[in-house]
Structures are given as structure tokens and as C-alpha cells.
Amino acid sequence: MLGSASDAEDVLQETWLRWVNVDLGTVREERAYLVRIVTRQALDRLRALSRRKESYVGPWLPEPLLTAPDVAEDVELAESVSMAMLLVLETLQPIERAVFVLREVFDLDYDEIAEAVDKSPAAVRQIAYRARAHVAARRPRGIASPAETRAAIQAFQRAVETGDLQSLLDILAPDVVALSDGGGVKHALLRPVVGAGQVARLLAAGWWKRDAERSVEPVQINGGPGLLVRVDGEIDGVVAVRVENGYVTGAYHVRNPEKLSRVERETAVTR
């Protein structure tokens, strides 16, 4: 719901502090009570994050998580936490985002969601309908098989390591989008780069060519394929890669050091 593991942890901590001080004898349904607290805390945090992003330097990307390979086996879960989907959710209003996540990811009924967001069930149905339509118009359309994904990420890694322009053009979709997030601390693109030719030239002349010992390692980022980039043995960034129909359609490069703490060890993602 937040696109930030650190903010999610803060919300859970705040929820726990409230929960331990509650007289459980006054709570009719514990699960619904917790869902309401977490949702309202998350909505408050979303509004604060939106103000913070207004002054953010360059594109804002969600915080990447190093995830176990088995997350990708649950296709719906993997898509719900993917970098591409989190970016789509960024285009929703906070209340729309909360309703969408509670309904589409956790399959809560409308009455329970209504209580969590302090709206009527009828209003929640309308919000859910608008949010679904908005997401459906923007979500990735082509689902790649595991074999296609592996082949694409291997080819992408080889092309990135060698800087071979033609190899990059062969693996990039015509409308591929590249985004990078340095948070004003590390060098990064200040705006999206679109199109196979421009993205290929950017990558061919990219960060791995500079005077340092660099390595690129395939990993699972947010339930999908990605590359972990090290410079002189230290983590420099990650590239989450979106693959559709065997081609790379999105490359999301996170270099902001504040967002890289969850790529040193795997984060368990379940539902």
C-alpha cells in the first residue's frame, strides 16, 4: 500500500503500540479492528508521503525488496508487489489505493473495507470500480512465462555487461521505459527515457563503463527479475526489470542509498 518497506514497518509498529493498550474485551472482531487501524495509519502515511514526493529530486521509485524465487510462483502476489504495479498504484488517490489493495490483493468484502476506510459499502464499491478500471488501463498486459523471463533477463544482463548496442536493441521492446531514482544523492535520470533506441544508447554508455570494478548479478526484486549492481564489492543499486512477451518493457534503476537496505537480504513476502 505504501511502496516503502520502512514506512510499512513504521505503520505496523504504531499499530502494535495501539493494539497492546486496547481492552480486548471491548473488541468485537480482532481481525477487522487490526485491518482498520493499519489501513488508517497507512492512509495518514500515504498523505505525508505525497507531500514529501513533491520536493523529491527526479523520479520517485518504490523501495526495492530482494525476494525469494518462490514469490514469483504466486503470480497474483508477485504482480501486486512488482515495481511496475507499485508505480501504477502511485497514480491512485490514497483512498483508491487502500480500497484496491484491500479488495484485489487481500479479498476483503466491501463491508469490512467500508469500516476500515470510514465509507459506506456503496461508496466503497464505486471507489473499487474506479480503481480497478484505472489500474487495468495501466497495468502490464503481456504475462511472460518463467522460461521467457529467464531468457530475457539473461540476455539483458549480457547486453548490459558488454554494452553491445545491437544486443540491447534485440531484447528491448519498442516502447520500453527506463526510470532511475538517485534521490538527489546519487547520479540518476531526472526524467523517464522512452523507446528502444534511446534506452539502448543510455545503457550502452551507462554506469558499468566507469573506472571501477563493477559486477551485475541476477536477483529477484519485488517478486520479479532484476539485477543487483555492485561497485568495488559494495551495493550501488538495483535494476528491476519488467518482461512482457519475451521483451524488456521496463527498467527501474534505484540508486538512492536510503532505499537499498532491503536488497542485502531476502524479505519474506506472503499473504
Side-chain angles (χ1 to χ4, degrees):
M1 196 180 294
L2 296 173
S4 164
S6 56
D7 283 299
E9 287 181 349
D10 287 346
V11 164
L12 289 178
Q13 180 68 18
E14 290 164 7
T15 300
W16 172 252
L17 291 174
R18 292 188 177 206
W19 176 248
V20 296
N21 291 312
V22 167
D23 177 2
L24 295 183
T26 66
V27 178
R28 185 178 68 253
E29 174 56 55
E30 293 183 1
R31 178 176 177 273
Y33 186 83
L34 283 168
V35 167
R36 182 173 63 190
I37 295 176
V38 170
T39 300
R40 293 183 181 180
Q41 291 282 342
L43 282 169
D44 288 344
R45 188 60 63 99
L46 271 176
R47 295 179 182 114
L49 282 172
S50 66
R51 291 191 293 272
R52 204 186 309 168
K53 290 169 191 172
E54 289 175 0
S55 58
Y56 198 79
V57 178
W60 183 94
L61 289 175
E63 185 177 358
L65 303 177
L66 183 67
T67 52
D70 60 355
V71 174
E73 296 173 7
D74 184 337
V75 176
E76 289 184 357
L77 176 62
E79 185 193 30
S80 72
V81 297
S82 70
M83 193 73 73
M85 177 55 74
L86 291 176
L87 283 171
V88 171
L89 294 182
E90 282 295 312
T91 64
L92 296 174
Q93 294 298 314
I95 192 72
E96 292 176 327
R97 185 167 182 165
V99 169
F100 180 87
V101 170
L102 292 174
R103 180 63 181 171
E104 300 300 318
V105 180
F106 293 100
D107 199 29
L108 270 62
D109 62 47
Y110 291 111
D111 289 341
E112 193 169 6
I113 298 172
E115 190 171 339
V117 300
D118 198 24
K119 298 281 186 183
S120 70
V124 165
R125 286 179 182 274
Q126 286 298 316
I127 293 169
Y129 175 81
R130 290 198 307 270
R132 271 197 304 272
H134 183 94
V135 171
R138 292 163 176 81
R139 76 194 314 164
R141 300 193 179 279
I143 302 299
S145 69
E148 284 179 322
T149 299
R150 281 194 301 273
I153 196 66
Q154 288 169 359
F156 184 68
Q157 180 184 355
R158 287 194 301 270
V160 164
E161 288 175 330
T162 62
D164 180 49
L165 185 61
Q166 187 56 53
S167 296
L168 285 164
L169 288 170
D170 290 342
I171 196 61
L172 297 176
D175 57 351
V176 62
V177 177
L179 295 170
S180 64
D181 178 345
V185 179
K186 291 288 192 76
H187 177 73
L189 301 171
L190 293 179
R191 58 186 61 85
V193 175
V194 182
Q198 290 193 66
V199 173
R201 284 190 290 274
L202 171 73
L203 293 171
W207 25 263
W208 61 92
K209 291 289 188 182
R210 296 175 189 163
D211 295 332
E213 183 180 340
R214 294 175 183 258
S215 64
V216 181
E217 173 190 351
V219 290
Q220 287 283 313
I221 296 294
N222 291 58
L227 300 175
L228 180 65
V229 182
R230 296 181 187 272
V231 175
D232 294 330
E234 299 293 327
I235 294 175
D236 181 75
V238 296
V239 184
V241 181
R242 189 173 81 203
V243 177
E244 300 177 65
N245 300 319
Y247 291 94
V248 172
T249 59
Y252 312 106
H253 186 197
V254 180
R255 296 193 71 210
N256 185 346
E258 294 182 358
K259 295 184 178 183
L260 297 177
S261 62
R262 266 71 175 191
V263 297
E264 297 180 358
R265 63 188 184 281
E266 287 184 359
T267 297
V269 179
T270 60
R271 59 173 172 171

